[in-house]
Amino acid sequence: MASQKVLIVEDEESIAEVLIAYAKQQNYETKHFNSGKGVVSFVKQNAVDLILLDLMLPDVDGTELCKQIRAFSNVPIIMLSAKGEEIDRLVGLELGADDYICKPFSPKEVIARIKAVLRRTSQPKTNTDINTIIYNNFQLHKDDYEAHLNGKSIGFTAVEFKIFLLFISHVGRVFTREDIINNVYSDTTYISDRNIDTHIKNIRKKINDIQAELNPIAAVYSVGYKFKE
């Protein structure tokens, strides 16, 4: 099996060296950038399985890089930052980051988070139809986290895909925000109701970009959301 590729974007050389060493011990192939310059073009031109992205870079804000990458790729992103304020975590997660780790951290914790995110986003390929869900004009492929509407790719992030999969697998059932958090995230420490509302908003927008005024996910006042029958 080919090594999974981890892109490390970190300007502090001592931290980067430790992360690279620990990643290589786990047989990950690594590529390191000490600034944001060239990162977006590299991701566009090379296959990457996961990105460790420092929030505070010398030339460009990590959230801006995350936003640019999310415009064309669903590659898993774990943000690294010395900032511990909740608002910073929320901004990163709302932009499409899959996880957030505050400095100082244990390298072993980072490796554990990498493995957890890759488990969620790198499901084994199969040739059976059990991994395909078709409902009306929606088609979801669980093995590669791809969702299509009217034959067009919706472009969900991994978290958005998992939320939409939860709904479409239980048409008509009402899920509270807490239900969604517990079903979608393995680590719920920094996840709030606001995160879920933002993900639902993004899901609706991406669906509407393909089919205007289509809104399969309905809000249930004071409770949560459901996929309409």
Side-chain angles (χ1 to χ4, degrees):
M1 182 181 294
S3 297
Q4 290 177 299
K5 299 177 179 62
V6 176
L7 174 61
I8 300 172
V9 186
E10 169 61 64
D11 64 312
E12 294 186 51
E13 291 295 331
S14 59
I15 294 178
E17 289 173 2
V18 172
L19 292 174
I20 292 169
Y22 271 77
K24 288 184 176 180
Q25 285 179 5
Q26 300 298 317
N27 296 320
Y28 293 122
E29 181 181 332
T30 64
K31 171 68 177 178
H32 173 229
F33 281 84
N34 58 13
S35 72
K37 184 178 180 180
V39 170
V40 173
S41 60
F42 180 85
V43 176
K44 285 182 177 180
Q45 298 170 20
N46 298 271
V48 175
D49 293 293
L50 183 139
I51 301 174
L52 287 177
L53 177 59
D54 186 26
L55 184 62
M56 302 297 289
L57 295 168
D59 54 347
V60 62
D61 190 87
T63 55
E64 177 60 26
L65 269 184
C66 182
K67 183 178 179 180
Q68 292 179 26
I69 292 170
R70 277 290 170 262
F72 66 89
S73 173
N74 294 328
V75 59
I77 297 174
I78 299 178
M79 281 193 162
L80 308 173
S81 176
K83 289 187 175 182
E85 296 297 326
E86 181 181 13
I87 187 63
D88 297 306
R89 294 194 293 268
L90 291 176
V91 169
L93 293 169
E94 288 174 4
L95 285 173
D98 296 86
D99 204 348
Y100 196 110
I101 304 176
C102 292
K103 300 176 183 177
F105 48 70
S106 161
K108 291 183 179 180
E109 177 192 1
V110 177
I111 295 299
R113 296 286 191 96
I114 290 174
K115 289 181 177 179
V117 171
L118 288 175
R119 277 197 301 270
R120 296 200 303 265
T121 59
S122 303
Q123 299 298 317
K125 306 290 184 180
T126 71
N127 293 322
T128 62
D129 289 334
I130 194 171
N131 283 313
T132 299
I133 292 179
I134 299 175
Y135 187 87
N136 291 337
N137 293 333
F138 289 101
Q139 188 174 74
L140 276 67
H141 303 282
K142 293 188 285 184
D143 55 354
D144 59 6
Y145 281 57
E146 272 291 322
H148 293 82
L149 171 60
N150 299 329
K152 298 180 179 179
S153 176
I154 302 175
F156 287 148
T157 65
V159 172
E160 291 165 359
F161 180 91
K162 288 172 73 71
I163 292 173
F164 195 73
L165 176 63
L166 178 66
F167 282 125
I168 207 169
S169 299
H170 302 85
V171 174
R173 175 179 167 181
V174 178
F175 288 93
T176 66
R177 292 167 179 82
E178 184 178 3
D179 290 334
I180 298 170
I181 291 171
N182 291 333
N183 275 278
V184 169
Y185 293 92
S186 58
D187 181 358
T188 63
T189 306
Y190 302 126
I191 309 302
S192 68
D193 289 355
R194 178 181 169 186
N195 288 121
I196 299 304
D197 292 338
T198 299
H199 287 311
I200 297 296
K201 179 181 177 181
N202 291 339
I203 288 170
R204 287 170 169 166
K205 181 182 183 303
K206 290 179 180 181
I207 289 173
N208 288 160
D209 286 344
I210 297 175
Q211 185 171 333
E213 300 183 2
L214 177 62
N215 182 22
I217 299 178
V220 180
Y221 184 71
S222 296
V223 182
Y225 298 95
K226 72 174 183 177
F227 196 99
K228 293 185 291 188
E229 298 183 50

